[in-house]
Amino acid sequence: MIGLRALRAAVMTAATLGGLSGALAGLLTEQGRRARAAIGVLEHLWPAPDGVYADDGGDPLRLAVLGDSMAVGVGVTHPSQMPGVLLALALAEEAGRPVRLSTYAVSGSTTRDLVPQVDAAVRDEPRVALIIIGANDVTSRMGTGESARLLAEQVRRLRATGCGVVVGTCPDLGVVRPIPQPLRMVGHRYSLRLAAAQTAAVRGAGGIPVSLANLLAPEFLARHADMFSSDRFHPSAVGYEAAAGVLLAPLCQVAGLGAGWVAPVVPLRSAAALAVGPSRWPPWPQKRHA
């Protein structure tokens, strides 16, 4: 998601959004300091689990994963829980053929950092690419217009090679509880504004945007103990499984494995997001979780 050092940048972003008073800017600075102290340190930082999944000797479908720490899967306790692995296995099941996973994502990346990732990806000629990016753009004070423009350029580069592209847009930073109010509300508003700009840019570039904020925020708010990892900042294995659940269908579409995907009009809320009860995840992750 976002790096701890970037919280200071988030404070500076907040101070510039509306000419905030010195007193309020000071409050946000103090809240950033407290948030850094509250957020834990992860014990497990796994290398990318690249390779061929469901290998049967056939020609594999090539899946590239690009972006930031959420694309990498920072926060899981085993490589098998990383989103790239979850999606590679699910795509292999849907396609009835092996999937070769190649991870180019780097934790802490902003949209500016996508250029070398895409450089490396296009050399491997992927059939499908997943990009998750945006949270670090918020905290590094990158303008939403510039961020969206840079993202569109990289989506076009991938599409020019014949690769289908799905983009998980900026997650809602307002669900990260260690960030206190009103700093959390600043992050919430900015991240949603960036996600909206990303959505328009990705569509214009020929990719498929998936609103992680709209689709996942109710789950993360209602089941924060389950959905976040031990650092209370990055998703847990359960959180990544929920994200994979909303990304699988559009990935299948761009891979030519199913009918046209239509984005849900309303968030996919579990029973816990409405009350206390079991999750109603989409069929694939619900089956895996069971």
Side-chain angles (χ1 to χ4, degrees):
M1 225 177 233
I2 56 178
L4 302 185
R5 294 178 182 177
L7 287 170
R8 183 181 298 275
V11 172
M12 298 303 296
T13 299
T16 61
L17 285 179
L20 301 181
S21 69
L24 182 53
L27 170 63
L28 296 176
T29 299
E30 173 60 18
Q31 289 187 335
R33 184 194 67 78
R34 284 159 45 196
R36 287 194 298 275
I39 292 171
V41 178
L42 292 170
E43 297 180 359
H44 303 285
L45 297 175
W46 303 100
D50 291 350
V52 179
Y53 289 83
D55 190 3
D56 61 3
D59 182 33
L61 185 154
R62 295 177 179 267
L63 167 64
V65 177
L66 308 92
D68 56 23
S69 60
M70 192 170 177
V72 172
V74 172
V76 301
T77 58
H78 192 273
S80 64
Q81 300 165 337
M82 289 179 166
V85 175
L86 296 176
L87 289 166
L89 289 169
L91 280 172
E93 182 178 345
E94 295 293 329
R97 59 185 288 198
V99 170
R100 179 181 295 278
L101 171 64
S102 299
T103 304
Y104 307 95
V106 178
S107 180
S109 293
T110 68
T111 303
R112 291 190 185 100
D113 301 314
L114 282 180
V115 176
Q117 294 184 27
V118 174
D119 287 345
V122 296
R123 287 194 292 268
D124 291 337
E125 300 180 345
R127 170 77 177 277
V128 182
L130 169 66
I131 303 174
I132 302 178
I133 200 76
N136 295 306
D137 293 24
V138 174
T139 59
S140 64
R141 295 178 287 166
M142 188 185 302
T144 56
E146 179 187 6
S147 177
R149 177 182 59 79
L150 293 173
L151 178 58
E153 289 176 358
Q154 301 313 308
V155 172
R156 289 192 187 95
R157 289 183 62 199
L158 288 165
R159 292 291 295 126
T161 68
C163 177
V165 181
V166 173
V167 176
T169 58
C170 184
D172 184 355
L173 302 188
V175 304
V176 182
R177 291 195 175 189
I179 303 177
Q181 299 288 15
L183 182 58
R184 197 189 324 159
M185 181 56 69
V186 173
H188 165 72
R189 291 179 177 174
Y190 199 98
S191 55
L192 292 189
R193 189 166 68 181
L194 174 57
Q198 289 176 316
T199 296
V202 170
R203 284 176 178 160
I208 295 181
V210 178
S211 176
L212 298 181
N214 287 342
L215 296 175
L216 297 180
E219 286 292 284
F220 276 76
L221 284 171
R223 304 177 58 211
H224 59 94
D226 295 329
M227 306 298 275
F228 282 98
S229 65
S230 59
D231 71 352
R232 305 173 62 205
F233 199 71
H234 293 90
S236 66
V238 177
Y240 282 118
E241 197 166 26
V246 301
L247 291 166
L248 176 59
L251 283 171
C252 286
Q253 177 188 338
V254 299
L257 303 179
W261 175 76
V262 178
V265 178
V266 297
L268 297 174
R269 298 174 182 266
S270 71
L274 304 172
V276 177
S279 175
R280 289 204 311 266
W281 287 354
W284 170 71
Q286 186 176 7
K287 179 178 67 176
R288 265 187 69 89
H289 189 64

